[in-house]
């Protein structure tokens, strides 16, 4: 598979293609009754078993040793040849089926061919197609196992290589590993044509590889590379991480400099690259979402789409719009042929009849458009898959018969699998085929059933298409994603309203950009409106608390969802009083998706009424919340991922954050910052003074500046109050003697008060005399950071909440800083709640634990984390001191309610 997002690019991908195939079978007569305008027989399924056989054989063959493939091919060929002999054919195919007479097998068909010969020929065809699929897979995978490249990869050797680029460069998704953010690298596919070992030995070869380029000054040049460009690279080779990966080695390119180009791209790829670049330039002036989304809608260029927008499309099952698909092509073809339901008729709409084109001429013109589409969008497997689905629409135009579409789809699958056997293991390809097949077979029946119940034609077609695609695709999505989108159907319905205008004006922009850029910019401005609508649909749907439902992953989870779907479909057909029941189910689904806090609390007990403190479940990281009255809360740390912290705050009903405290700049505490900012008013962001690691500190500054939220620094001795919530910053100590708490009113809304020595005196601008922390100037003062570096510079807070509840939040302080804190505050009294430092690691100071003697000790840690957090020794020490220990990896999110004798910890939130 190419990328993880490609795994879902086929879900409902070819909805418009199927609409193009859903020809109008009925015309309304003068009395308003529907009369059949043409007749068709049953669907022709003869090619389906052949396509399935090739598909399954290729999927198996790409993952087994070569000799198994050879044996399977031989067995299938021999079996097929035997079945084609008259004696074997009569013996195999001449047996009458149950209930048939003894002469039924010998009865000739309408064409005079005995039934036994047809059956034997059909089974022989299945075996021969299986042999073809396995043989194609075996030949393709042979390049991955032979030659110098796999040998170099097994040795993890360095080599000088000549590589031909075979894909567009793309960026890896930002990830957090432990406390560090994994650098975003450039990734591209290529083919090695020459390999030179370190001893000077030179080999000529052809081997597909995956290139990974680390961050560096040459990133922009790498991202501008076009397919067919020839490079000379020095790299270390490594084997693929999974046996089924479609490349012989992973090339980790050394250094961060620009690529060394030894051969330019082909003229065809240069033309396509210029057109795509013109589209990007024309969209530069649009709003951020439209600017990012429009090139993806038109030509599949997703280079500008950020992780936040992509996550919204994933949550709403709209990712098929981010990849080139049959729906994009079908929209363009609709301009040529008009309304899909009349595509096969002489009185069709669109431009074709106005230009005097016949039905066959229209199909030829559509084919030319399809070829141009492939050139512009690059002839990669995903584009070829979309083109094949587009040709299904053209067959509907040329033949006027929907029954020809199923064999056309089967033929397209057969040819594509033989051309690229790796598609046989692609979730995206499976989803495309399932969605297209369902839209050709299931959707027309459901659409007609909806029409009979009074649903308007267009709405019935759109609703049936969405329901059919979701019904067949959701079980497959569950296999690899472990989730079900509850907003997919309405999100797709609303998005479809804008797909056609965005695509049409987007292609017009693409064409105009090559001729006159001002006209292209005007067309892009028009296309930006529907593109922005699609982005708003995705963001709105993803922001709903119940947008996604967790579901067991893997094939068993997919089977369970398929069974549930089948039960629902059968029940929808046979239950009495279906109208009222359906209405009730829609209301229940709406409540599950919206999840109003009072109803959720009544149904699940979360969040508990009167919660004072909450620890969110964000994986291996920290995100805690202090209730500040009403819908306001002080948030301490944001976790490693925007999605879980945003979900947690939504469940808690937090809409205003007067202050967000980031205890230190490690990624597992700050990478989720966009999730806290999403849809909430944030007064200020308070940070530690040690800007380590620098990349994450820069990320916080950029994100805060983009949201126009001021940054202030915390300092020991600083006191703040919001309503009944009070806290004191205990650490980090400022050696210069200035606490530097930042402006008390800098929160932007005057919603909290601050006091402290040196407060507000130019601290945000870093005024004052620079002093040194570990050889580095930081923010105008020295910060006491021990051997723990950034961890020991964590902001530690002593909080007093309503009712007298006391909490000690330690960030990630290591034992040296914990001892320093205890020395700086020798009168530190016992507390009710302790946020255990550093995810409960073994590095804790026993003296501090004895001094604070918490009643509740809360640990934020990820399930099955590789660090062994929390340490059994730490948990035992806390329990020995009388604390009840709760941990997010086992207990889920944790809320604290009450104080004194009524202190209660409520686990179990999401």
């Amino acid at each position: 598979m190419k990328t993880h997002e490609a795994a879902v690019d086929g879900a409902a991908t070819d909805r418009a293609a199927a609409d193009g195939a859903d020809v109008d079978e009925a015309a309304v007569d003068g009395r308003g009754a529907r009369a059949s305008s043409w007749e068709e027989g049953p669907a022709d399924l003869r090619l389906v078993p052949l396509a399935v056989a090739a598909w399954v054989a290729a999927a198996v063959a790409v993952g087994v040793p070569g000799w198994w493939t050879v044996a399977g091919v031989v067995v299938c060929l021999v079996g097929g040849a035997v079945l084609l002999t008259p004696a074997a054919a009569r013996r195999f195919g001449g047996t009458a089926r149950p209930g048939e007479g003894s002469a039924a097998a010998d009865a000739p068909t309408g064409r005079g061919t005995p039934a036994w010969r047809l059956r034997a020929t059909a089974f022989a065809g299945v075996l021969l197609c299986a042999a073809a699929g396995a043989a194609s897979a075996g030949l393709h995978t042979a390049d991955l196992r032979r030659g110098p490249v796999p040998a170099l990869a097994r040795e993890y050797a360095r080599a000088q290589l000549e590589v031909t680029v075979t894909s567009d460069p793309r960026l890896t998704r930002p990830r957090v590993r432990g406390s560090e953010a994994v650098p975003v690298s450039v990734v591209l596919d290529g083919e090695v044509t020459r390999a030179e070992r370190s001893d000077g030995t030179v080999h000529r070869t052809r081997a597909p590889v995956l290139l990974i380029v680390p961050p560096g000054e040459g990133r922009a040049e790498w991202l501008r590379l076009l397919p067919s460009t020839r490079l000379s690279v020095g790299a270390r080779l490594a084997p693929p991480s999974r046996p089924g990966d479609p490349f012989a080695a992973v090339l980790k390119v050394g250094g961060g400099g620009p690529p060394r180009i030894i051969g330019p791209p082909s003229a065809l790829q240069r033309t396509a690259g210029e057109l795509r670049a013109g589209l990007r330039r024309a969209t530069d002036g649009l709003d951020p979402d439209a600017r990012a989304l429009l090139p993806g809608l038109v030509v599949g260029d997703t280079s500008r789409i950020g992780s936040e927008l992509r996550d919204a499309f994933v949550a709403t099952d709209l990712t098929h719009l981010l990849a080139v698909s049959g729906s994009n092509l079908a929209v363009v073809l609709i301009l040529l042929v008009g309304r899909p339901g009349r595509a096969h008729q002489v009185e069709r709409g669109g431009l074709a009849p106005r230009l005097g084109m016949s039905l066959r001429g229209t199909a030829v013109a559509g084919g030319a458009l399809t070829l141009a589409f492939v050139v512009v969008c690059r002839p990669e497997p995903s584009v070829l898959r979309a083109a094949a689905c587009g040709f299904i629409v053209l067959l509907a135009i040329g033949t006027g018969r929907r029954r020809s579409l199923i064999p056309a789809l089967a033929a397209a699958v057969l040819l594509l699998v033989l051309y690229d056997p790796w598609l046989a293991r692609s979730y995206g390809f499976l989803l495309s085929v399932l969605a297209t097949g369902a839209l050709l077979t299931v959707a027309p029946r459901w659409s007609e059933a909806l029409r009979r119940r009074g649903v308007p034609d267009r709405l019935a077609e759109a609703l049936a298409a969405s329901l059919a695609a979701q019904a067949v695709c959701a079980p497959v999505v569950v296999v690899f994603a472990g989730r079900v989108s509850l907003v997919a159907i309405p999100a797709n319905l609303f998005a479809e309203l804008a797909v056609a205008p965005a695509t049409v004006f987007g292609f017009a922009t693409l064409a105009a950009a090559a001729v006159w850029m001002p006209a292209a910019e005007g067309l892009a401005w028009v296309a930006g409106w529907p593109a922005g609508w699609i982005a708003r649909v995705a963001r709105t749907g993803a922001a709903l608390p119940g947008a996604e439902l967790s579901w067991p992953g893997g094939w068993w989870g997919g089977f369970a969802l398929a069974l549930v779907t089948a039960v629902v479909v059968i029940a929808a057909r046979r239950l009495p009083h279906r109208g009222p029941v359906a209405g009730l189910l829609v209301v229940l689904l709406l409540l599950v998706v919206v999840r109003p806090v009072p109803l959720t609390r009544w149904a699940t007990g979360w969040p508990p009424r009167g919660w004072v403190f909450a620890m969110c479940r964000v994986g291996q990281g920290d995100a805690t919340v202090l209730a500040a009255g009403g819908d306001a809360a002080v948030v301490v740390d944001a976790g490693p991922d925007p999605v879980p912290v945003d979900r947690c705050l939504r469940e808690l009903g937090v809409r205003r954050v007067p202050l967000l405290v980031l205890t230190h700049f490690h990624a597992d505490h700050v990478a989720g910052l966009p999730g806290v900012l999403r849809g909430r008013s944030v007064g200020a962001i308070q940070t530690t003074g040690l800007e380590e690691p620098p990349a994450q500190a820069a990320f916080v500054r950029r994100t805060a500046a983009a949201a126009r939220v001021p940054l202030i620094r915390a300092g020991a001795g600083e006191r703040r109050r919001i309503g009944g919530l009070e806290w004191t910053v205990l650490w980090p100590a400022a050696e210069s003697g200035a606490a530097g708490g930042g402006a008390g009113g800098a929160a932007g809304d005057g919603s909290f008060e601050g006091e402290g020595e040196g407060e507000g005196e130019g601290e945000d601008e870093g005024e004052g005399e620079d002093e040194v922390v570990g050889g580095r100037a930081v923010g105008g003062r020295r910060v006491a950071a021990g051997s723990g570096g950034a961890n020991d510079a964590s902001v530690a807070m002593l909080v007093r909440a309503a009712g007298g509840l006391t909490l000690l939040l330690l960030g990630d302080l290591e034992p040296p800083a914990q001892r320093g804190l205890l020395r700086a505050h020798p009168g530190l009294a016992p507390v009710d709640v302790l946020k255990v430092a550093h995810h409960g690691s073994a590095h804790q100071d026993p003296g501090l634990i004895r001094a604070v003697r918490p009643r509740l000790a809360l640990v934020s840690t990820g399930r099955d984390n590789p660090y062994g957090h929390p340490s059994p020794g730490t948990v035992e020490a806390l329990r020995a001191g009388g604390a009840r220990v709760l941990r997010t990896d086992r207990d889920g999110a944790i809320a604290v309610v009450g104080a004194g004798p009524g202190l209660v910890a409520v686990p179990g939130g999401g």
Side-chain angles (χ1 to χ4, degrees):
M1 295 187 295
K2 288 187 171 295
T3 56
H4 290 298
E5 58 266 24
V8 290
D9 72 352
T13 284
D14 299 293
R15 186 169 295 117
D19 287 342
D22 187 14
V23 292
D24 192 3
E25 298 186 26
V28 179
D29 60 21
R31 298 179 303 242
R34 293 186 175 270
S36 177
S37 59
W38 51 280
E39 297 294 335
E40 67 173 24
D44 186 349
L45 304 178
R46 287 175 294 179
L47 283 179
V48 173
L50 307 183
V52 171
W55 191 345
V56 172
V60 173
V62 296
V64 299
W67 64 272
W68 276 106
T69 301
V70 172
V73 170
V74 170
V75 169
C76 290
L77 288 176
V78 171
V82 169
L83 284 176
L84 291 177
T85 61
R90 178 178 288 277
R91 182 177 180 84
F92 182 82
T95 303
R97 295 173 181 171
E100 294 179 345
S102 59
D106 292 323
T109 63
R111 297 181 180 179
T113 305
W116 58 267
R117 181 174 291 279
L118 291 179
R119 291 177 188 172
T121 303
F123 280 104
V126 169
L127 290 176
L128 293 176
C129 284
S136 176
L139 292 174
H140 280 77
T141 56
D143 290 335
L144 310 185
R145 303 188 181 103
R146 66 188 180 192
V149 173
L152 289 168
R154 287 190 292 270
E155 299 169 4
Y156 292 89
R158 290 194 62 85
Q160 191 68 30
L161 308 162
E162 289 185 8
V163 181
T164 301
V165 178
T166 58
S167 76
D168 286 318
R170 54 200 183 273
L171 294 174
T172 58
R173 295 198 64 182
R175 295 184 296 114
V176 174
R177 181 181 297 159
S179 62
E180 302 297 326
V182 178
V184 176
S185 303
V186 178
V187 179
L188 62 158
D189 300 333
E191 184 178 76
V192 173
T193 57
R194 182 180 184 272
E196 182 178 351
R197 290 177 175 266
S198 56
D199 60 3
T201 306
V202 176
H203 300 274
R204 292 286 177 181
T205 184
R206 287 185 58 189
V209 293
L210 179 72
L211 284 82
I212 300 178
V213 185
E217 297 178 356
R219 170 180 289 185
E221 287 81 358
W222 282 97
L223 289 173
R224 284 197 291 267
L225 289 176
L226 296 175
S228 73
T229 305
R230 293 174 56 235
L231 308 175
S232 176
V233 298
R236 183 176 297 278
L237 289 80
S241 58
R242 294 183 299 270
D245 286 339
F247 37 84
V250 176
L251 272 56
K252 299 179 180 179
V253 180
R260 181 185 171 194
I261 299 175
I262 59 175
S266 65
L268 190 65
Q269 292 293 353
R270 282 200 304 271
T271 301
E274 290 167 0
L275 288 171
R276 293 161 69 97
L279 177 62
R280 287 194 296 270
R281 288 194 301 271
T283 57
D284 280 342
L286 301 181
D287 291 337
D289 279 352
R291 175 179 177 272
L293 186 57
L294 192 57
L297 288 172
V298 178
V299 294
D301 182 357
T302 59
S303 58
R304 291 174 169 176
I305 296 177
S307 58
E308 187 178 356
L309 182 59
R310 189 182 300 277
D311 288 340
F313 274 74
V314 169
T316 51
D317 276 0
L318 290 173
T319 47
H320 58 95
L321 298 179
L322 301 182
V324 175
S325 66
S327 60
N328 301 69
L329 178 59
V331 168
V332 177
L333 294 178
I334 287 171
L335 289 177
L336 181 69
V337 301
R339 184 174 180 269
R342 297 173 58 192
H344 66 290
Q345 299 172 354
V346 175
E347 62 274 16
R348 62 196 181 281
L351 297 176
R354 290 168 175 78
L355 298 176
M357 299 172 64
S358 65
L359 281 175
R360 292 184 178 178
T362 301
V364 171
L369 275 177
T370 302
L371 292 177
F373 176 81
V374 172
V375 170
V376 172
C377 300
R378 311 280 170 77
E380 297 182 351
S382 62
V383 179
L384 294 175
R385 183 173 67 239
C389 293
F391 276 116
I392 295 175
V393 181
L394 297 176
L395 283 174
I397 296 171
T399 64
R401 298 167 63 235
R402 189 174 65 233
R403 70 189 298 263
S404 66
L405 298 178
I406 297 299
L409 176 62
V413 169
L414 179 60
L415 293 175
L416 288 174
V417 166
L418 295 178
Y419 171 78
D420 184 2
W422 300 107
L423 289 175
R425 286 200 171 192
S426 166
Y427 283 115
F429 184 69
L430 174 60
L431 290 168
S432 288
V433 174
L434 287 176
T436 306
L439 297 174
L440 295 177
T441 56
V442 178
R445 291 180 173 85
W446 288 5
S447 175
E448 184 59 32
L450 290 172
R451 289 192 190 99
R452 289 197 300 268
R453 287 163 175 80
V455 179
D457 286 358
R458 296 292 179 87
L459 179 59
E461 291 176 3
L463 187 57
S466 293
L467 287 169
Q470 190 68 13
V472 299
C473 292
V476 178
V477 173
V478 159
V479 171
F480 60 83
R483 61 164 189 87
V484 177
S485 175
L486 299 181
V487 297
I489 292 174
N492 274 278
L493 288 175
F494 283 114
E496 287 294 343
L497 298 174
V499 168
T503 303
V504 170
F505 284 104
F507 272 107
T509 303
L510 180 77
V515 180
W516 189 31
M517 186 55 68
E521 291 173 347
L523 290 167
W525 180 82
V526 176
W529 286 92
W533 165 265
I534 295 171
R536 285 191 293 275
V537 168
R539 290 188 183 276
T540 302
L544 294 171
E548 295 180 282
L549 175 68
S550 296
W551 192 274
W555 290 106
W556 283 111
F559 175 77
L561 183 59
L563 184 62
V564 170
T565 303
V567 170
V568 170
V569 171
I570 293 172
R573 292 172 59 90
R574 299 186 178 182
L575 275 179
H577 312 294
R578 283 173 292 187
V581 171
L584 178 61
L585 291 177
V586 169
V587 171
L588 289 176
L589 180 61
L590 184 63
L591 292 175
V592 169
V593 170
V594 177
R595 291 188 187 178
V597 173
L599 182 62
T600 304
R601 180 181 291 123
W602 173 80
T604 66
W606 183 270
R609 189 178 301 278
W611 66 273
V612 179
F613 174 77
M615 177 174 280
C616 297
R617 184 178 186 174
V618 294
Q620 186 66 15
D622 269 7
T624 57
V625 189
L626 293 158
D631 60 355
V634 173
V635 178
V636 182
D637 286 325
D641 185 348
V643 174
V645 68
D646 178 38
R647 180 175 62 245
C648 177
L649 293 176
R650 288 183 183 279
E651 291 177 351
L652 294 172
V654 175
R655 295 184 178 87
R656 294 184 297 117
V657 181
L659 183 68
L660 166 61
V661 180
L662 299 177
T663 59
H664 60 297
F665 290 106
H666 276 161
D668 56 335
H669 291 249
V670 304
L673 175 58
V676 179
L677 299 174
R678 189 178 298 159
R680 297 176 187 86
S681 64
V682 178
I685 299 173
Q686 189 173 44
T687 69
T688 184
L690 181 63
E691 297 189 349
E692 291 284 353
Q696 292 306 115
F699 162 76
V700 171
R701 287 195 299 271
R702 289 194 308 270
T703 306
R708 299 183 178 179
V709 177
L711 284 174
I712 58 179
R713 289 213 175 94
E718 164 191 327
R719 295 185 180 89
R720 294 194 183 276
R721 181 174 65 254
I722 303 176
L725 186 66
E726 301 179 13
W727 69 93
T728 302
V729 175
L730 304 180
W731 194 266
E735 295 182 2
S736 64
D749 59 0
S751 55
F752 66 86
E753 302 174 3
E755 57 185 46
E757 187 180 353
E759 174 191 328
E761 296 297 322
E763 193 65 41
D764 293 348
E765 292 75 30
E767 294 180 4
E769 188 176 341
D770 280 348
E771 302 188 32
V772 175
V773 178
R776 168 187 289 259
V778 178
R781 70 181 193 277
R782 285 195 301 268
V783 177
S787 60
N791 284 343
D792 277 352
S794 294
V795 176
M797 303 165 55
L798 179 63
V799 182
R800 181 175 293 274
L805 177 72
T806 55
L807 307 97
L808 180 60
L809 313 181
L810 291 177
D812 275 1
L813 293 183
E814 303 285 355
Q818 293 180 25
R819 289 191 288 270
L821 184 150
L822 194 56
R823 287 194 300 269
H825 304 277
L828 194 61
V831 297
D832 296 311
V833 180
L834 173 67
K835 201 293 292 183
V836 182
H838 203 176
H839 320 294
S841 76
H843 303 291
Q844 309 290 332
D845 179 54
L848 181 61
I849 293 177
R850 288 193 299 267
V852 299
R853 296 195 303 276
R855 298 169 60 191
L856 293 174
L858 309 183
V859 183
S860 180
T861 188
R863 181 178 298 172
D864 299 325
N865 67 84
Y867 313 103
H869 294 165
S871 165
T874 298
V875 173
E876 185 58 34
L878 291 165
R879 287 174 176 163
R884 180 191 176 195
V885 180
L886 292 94
R887 40 196 288 187
T888 56
D889 60 336
R890 295 182 180 176
D891 301 310
I894 305 162
V896 176
V897 181
L903 179 65
V904 177
V906 181

